[in-house]
Amino acid sequence: MRLAARQLPPAARWCLIVLGVTVCYFATARIGIQWAIVREQISPLWPAAGVALAVPMLLGPRFWPGIFLGALLTNIALGPSLVTVMVITAGNTIGPMLAYAVMRRLGFRTRLDRLPDAVLLVAVGAIGSTAVSATLGTGVLVLGDGLSPGDFWATALVWWTGDAIGVLTVTPLLLLAPRFRMPKRVPLGRWGEAVALALIGLGTAVLASTATAKLFLIFPVLIWAALRFRQAGALLCSLCVCTFTIVAAARGLGPYGSYELAARMLHVQAYAATVGLTALTLSTIVLQRDRATAEITEAWLQVTEMVEMIAPRQSLRSAITQREDDELAG
């Protein structure tokens, strides 16, 4: 199928990829809407934002119409007016494209194998660009009488939180997906450790969303996941924790139930950002360590091979020199 796609004319291939991006954005947006707490369209977890940022990074910026169409299909049924929908859709498209342009300018690499790449993804992708779409979308809702002016900040915080956490949890997984390969000949003990990590991670994520004193239980699990299963394990744990935390906060449960909406979203944003940043940076540092160890090992093997090649020649030269010295002495 991949070979057939490559044989398509460039225009047909572009349309096919745009259609795929539109479907992916719309599907993940529908998932986010299930947790909407403002106007049934603003959710504290918006995985579509993570998809939108990953699209230009993986496929290229020329497929931005897929983001626009996906956002348009999502928002057009929610209103309140066509002008408002178009502005919100434009904001959903401009935010990730702006983040992509800035991150590319600063040397971002999609392999996420360097600490600066992780920092850029958090600072520019998750925090900076999402503020653009949140502010623009909330502002046009207020101007279009979809919201009262007094609800601006609370709504903007919910919007910003949802987009930022969507980027933190979904985008790294999508960037890693093209390089994922199913491991072969995995020992049974390794599978047992993976199952144990999954069960303990899920249980800890549920516990962390029930009480303030239990919020920090997840960090030993994140360390375990990063050290043993690298980025894939740590990021999946982060996604689970953020999902349970946001669901609890959206329903007024757990450690966030006693706060007003704006304060609740600030607490959720701080906690989710801390979890996501810890998972991403720690697993990236471990990956850097592995790469440095592999480079040192390779260099040592090369030096060893050179020594083995030089040693016989050096011995032969020593023997010739010794013979010449003996002849001169004789």
Side-chain angles (χ1 to χ4, degrees):
M1 183 176 293
R2 183 178 298 178
L3 181 61
R6 291 179 178 176
Q7 292 175 348
L8 290 174
R13 185 171 179 271
W14 181 88
C15 291
L16 188 63
I17 294 176
V18 167
L19 179 61
V21 171
T22 301
V23 172
C24 290
Y25 187 100
F26 181 76
T28 52
R30 297 304 303 176
I31 294 173
I33 287 176
Q34 304 305 312
W35 299 313
I37 57 178
V38 180
R39 292 195 75 256
E40 297 185 353
Q41 74 179 117
I42 302 175
S43 169
L45 176 58
W46 194 250
V51 174
L53 183 58
V55 166
M57 292 180 176
L58 293 175
L59 303 177
R62 64 194 183 98
F63 296 105
W64 66 265
I67 303 173
F68 184 87
L69 292 174
L72 181 62
L73 291 175
T74 301
N75 292 305
I76 199 167
L78 303 174
S81 66
L82 182 59
V83 174
T84 302
V85 167
M86 294 302 294
V87 174
I88 293 175
T89 301
N92 291 339
T93 307
I94 292 172
M97 297 306 298
L98 181 62
Y100 165 76
V102 173
M103 293 168 67
R104 184 178 180 183
R105 179 87 175 180
L106 295 176
F108 178 81
R109 296 195 314 195
T110 58
R111 294 185 62 85
L112 287 178
D113 56 354
R114 304 178 306 167
L115 187 58
D117 298 329
V119 174
L120 281 175
L121 183 61
V122 174
V124 179
I127 297 177
S129 69
T130 55
V132 175
S133 58
T135 304
L136 186 61
T138 307
V140 75
L141 283 175
V142 172
L143 293 176
D145 295 329
L147 285 174
S148 64
D151 294 331
F152 175 84
W153 289 111
T155 303
L157 283 173
V158 174
W159 196 317
W160 181 44
T161 300
D163 285 7
I165 297 177
V167 170
L168 274 176
T169 55
V170 176
T171 301
L173 289 173
L174 293 177
L175 294 181
L176 293 175
R179 295 184 286 112
F180 177 77
R181 298 292 183 272
M182 195 67 183
K184 299 179 180 179
R185 298 180 182 178
V186 180
L188 186 60
R190 186 70 166 167
W191 283 112
E193 183 182 4
V195 172
L197 175 62
L199 294 176
I200 294 174
L202 286 173
T204 307
V206 174
L207 285 175
S209 64
T210 59
T212 305
K214 300 175 182 177
L215 289 175
F216 302 99
L217 292 176
I218 193 60
F219 290 100
V221 180
L222 288 177
I223 295 172
W224 177 17
L227 291 176
R228 298 292 293 162
F229 296 94
R230 306 303 186 262
Q231 290 175 321
L235 292 172
L236 285 173
C237 284
S238 173
L239 177 60
C240 291
V241 173
C242 292
T243 301
F244 281 109
T245 302
I246 289 167
V247 170
R251 297 180 178 179
L253 304 175
Y256 309 104
S258 59
Y259 296 99
E260 296 294 332
L261 181 59
R264 203 187 309 167
M265 289 303 103
L266 281 175
H267 282 80
V268 171
Q269 176 76 301
Y271 180 69
T274 302
V275 170
L277 182 62
T278 300
L280 187 58
T281 55
L282 182 59
S283 59
T284 303
I285 290 172
V286 173
L287 186 62
Q288 282 187 316
R289 184 204 64 183
D290 293 345
R291 186 176 61 184
T293 302
E295 291 175 353
I296 292 173
T297 302
E298 184 179 357
W300 173 253
L301 291 175
Q302 291 178 355
V303 170
T304 303
E305 290 177 358
M306 292 178 64
V307 170
E308 291 176 351
M309 292 175 60
I310 294 174
R313 299 178 182 178
Q314 188 66 34
S315 300
L316 179 61
R317 181 178 298 176
S318 299
I320 294 174
T321 303
Q322 182 66 34
R323 182 177 179 179
E324 293 177 349
D325 292 341
D326 292 343
E327 291 178 354
L328 291 175

